[in-house]
Amino acid sequence: MSPGERRWLAFYASNRWSRNSELIVTEKQMRVRLLDLTPHEMETQMAVWGQPAYRARQVQHWLYKKQVSAPSEMSNLPAALRDRLAEDSQIDLLVPVTETASSDGNTTKALLRLDDGQLIEAVLMRYNRRRTVCVSSQAGCAIGCTFCATGQMGLQRNLSPGEMLGQVIHFERWLQSNTPDSGGITNVVIMGMGEPLANYSNLWRALRAMSSPDGLGLGARRLTVSTVGLVPGIDRFAEEGLQVNLAVSLHAPNDALREQLVPINQRYPIADLMAAIRRYIERTHRRITFEYALMRDINDSPALAEEMALLLQGLLCHVNLIPLNPVTGSPFQPTRREDADIFAGILRDRGIVTSLRVRRGVDINAGCGQLRARVAGSLEKGVL
């Protein structure tokens, strides 16, 4: 078998998520994608190259602990292996296209290009003691939430484990370059473009690498996955064993309104969703978070707050109210601050633990899919 054929087989094996998608295959894509490999797969790859198993651990140390961008930086590897890695493997799966920062400097959004030209977004949010990266799990999204910019794009494809990990590593390097004394990433939320539970296997490969001491070492409790409510995925999630946090994007307390905002509710209505959530809590004994994007005169009334409180009564849960980040030209606009305070107050008065999130990155199109939509439009017009 020729070296080119070996590279193609390695690429195909590590891209199971793409077999049903049309690909533009380049020489770069035919290389072994190191961030996509589990520790066992890395050992197997080293064996194929005639290397001992411990070389796999060394390579992964350079990838995850040092966040190197080239094999030449892996100084404790023999020169022959560094050369082989340079010729037949790929580290970075994402190319930065553009970056925007909020006026307060605490939120930075990056638009990143994948090997096949698809564009995805990742966001860094800096708080007093936390540095959180919001990661995309798909290029586009098939769910079609009516108020979400990504939902209007449709689904292009799932992201690989390495493409999800690469977003965290991108901002690890960003912090090292821009704020070297601030520390690294402390938390990851899978709340960017896409529905994570629709890319389940790749999601969990990425989560295990993020939480592993031999990977990014973040710890499972520092990871949060947000789903719109795919019931089979929630049931699987409860069986995984790692204490990764689960958040559900609810946005409405009844089927009539939720179906207008979140079309998947027609397949998994609120009664089925709440039953899955109760099974999850019973199985894991972990609190679940409900995300609720407050939209002016749509889902922010006191009556809906009362209905929400009744729906969640007795559950081990937390409600995270989020004034909507508006999409240009959309009829969906963020709630008024006074209405948000009233909504939150009603939930708290009914015994529901509730937080009202400070809006981040409104001035930089930090809402999911907004920067991609703007830049994609500029590319089509030849502006960028």
Side-chain angles (χ1 to χ4, degrees):
M1 183 181 296
S2 71
E5 290 172 327
R6 286 197 299 269
R7 288 197 295 271
W8 165 249
L9 287 175
F11 166 72
Y12 187 75
S14 65
N15 282 268
R16 288 182 292 273
W17 58 89
S18 295
R19 290 182 183 181
N20 294 324
S21 301
E22 183 177 351
L23 288 174
I24 301 173
V25 179
T26 66
E27 176 68 19
K28 184 177 182 181
Q29 289 174 315
M30 290 167 62
R31 298 176 180 178
V32 176
R33 300 167 63 149
L34 297 178
L35 286 174
D36 280 337
L37 302 184
T38 66
H40 176 71
E41 289 167 345
M42 185 72 80
E43 287 186 4
T44 300
Q45 185 61 61
M46 290 298 111
V48 169
W49 289 343
Q51 297 291 329
Y54 72 86
R55 293 297 185 200
R57 295 188 295 275
Q58 289 179 318
V59 170
Q60 290 189 304
H61 177 84
W62 286 108
L63 294 175
Y64 293 116
K65 304 304 182 185
K66 301 297 186 181
Q67 290 100 38
V68 300
S69 58
S72 59
E73 301 175 60
M74 302 179 182
S75 57
N76 62 344
L77 300 185
L81 178 54
R82 294 200 300 270
D83 290 344
R84 184 65 181 268
L85 287 166
E87 179 183 357
D88 290 346
S89 75
Q90 179 183 355
I91 295 177
D92 287 331
L93 308 180
L94 313 169
V95 178
V97 175
T98 189
E99 178 184 289
T100 59
S102 61
S103 56
D104 62 11
N106 291 325
T107 302
T108 302
K109 171 174 264 193
L111 189 69
L112 305 166
R113 180 179 284 113
L114 309 178
D115 278 347
D116 59 359
Q118 295 295 333
L119 299 174
I120 62 168
E121 300 173 350
V123 183
L124 171 66
M125 296 165 285
R126 290 183 287 169
Y127 305 87
N128 289 335
R129 297 182 179 179
R130 288 183 292 127
R131 293 159 298 280
T132 300
V133 175
C134 180
V135 169
S136 294
S137 57
Q138 297 179 311
C141 184
I143 300 299
C145 296
T146 54
F147 56 88
C148 175
T150 303
Q152 308 313 306
M153 299 173 186
L155 176 65
Q156 305 305 314
R157 69 171 175 86
N158 287 333
L159 300 192
S160 75
E163 288 168 336
M164 286 181 258
L165 291 163
Q167 296 169 64
V168 183
I169 291 173
H170 170 83
F171 278 118
E172 286 278 16
R173 294 172 180 166
W174 189 97
L175 287 169
Q176 292 170 14
S177 298
N178 293 276
T179 58
D181 298 327
S182 68
I185 301 301
T186 61
N187 298 76
V188 174
V189 294
I190 317 295
M191 297 182 182
M193 299 172 66
E195 165 52 53
L197 298 191
N199 187 15
Y200 195 92
S201 295
N202 290 333
L203 168 71
W204 270 96
R205 284 167 66 103
L207 290 173
R208 294 187 188 283
M210 291 177 193
S211 60
S212 169
D214 296 324
L216 292 177
L218 289 170
R221 293 186 180 186
R222 294 184 177 272
L223 309 176
T224 299
V225 174
S226 175
T227 177
V228 78
L230 303 190
V231 167
I234 292 173
D235 286 330
R236 287 183 69 185
F237 204 98
E239 301 297 326
E240 290 294 346
L242 278 182
Q243 293 185 333
V244 175
N245 301 304
L246 182 63
V248 173
S249 297
L250 193 59
H251 306 314
N254 61 68
D255 287 327
L257 178 56
R258 194 167 192 264
E259 286 179 10
Q260 296 177 39
L261 302 174
V262 185
I264 198 69
N265 192 80
Q266 297 175 31
R267 183 172 182 181
Y268 303 115
I270 288 178
D272 293 347
L273 174 59
M274 297 306 295
I277 287 168
R278 290 187 180 92
R279 291 192 296 270
Y280 171 87
I281 294 172
E282 182 179 0
R283 175 69 178 85
T284 65
H285 307 290
R286 292 186 59 75
R287 183 177 70 172
I288 198 160
T289 295
F290 290 99
E291 297 167 317
Y292 195 101
L294 285 165
M295 294 168 252
R296 184 186 305 172
D297 301 327
I298 293 176
N299 67 348
D300 62 348
S301 70
L304 287 172
E306 295 282 5
E307 194 174 350
M308 179 89 159
L310 185 62
L311 178 69
L312 305 185
Q313 200 69 47
L315 279 181
L316 180 61
C317 68
H318 166 255
V319 174
N320 189 12
L321 299 175
I322 313 162
L324 183 73
N325 268 355
V327 177
T328 301
S330 170
F332 300 98
Q333 294 300 310
T335 190
R336 306 169 188 87
R337 179 58 196 239
E338 57 269 27
D339 292 334
D341 288 337
I342 291 170
F343 200 102
I346 290 171
L347 292 179
R348 291 169 183 151
D349 289 344
R350 302 299 181 270
I352 308 297
V353 178
T354 302
S355 60
L356 180 57
R357 187 192 295 180
V358 176
R359 293 169 69 199
R360 287 298 194 107
V362 176
D363 56 332
I364 60 167
N365 296 309
C368 180
Q370 293 177 358
L371 181 60
R372 181 196 181 278
R374 178 172 64 82
V375 171
S378 297
L379 289 170
E380 289 175 2
K381 296 174 184 177
V383 175
L384 292 179

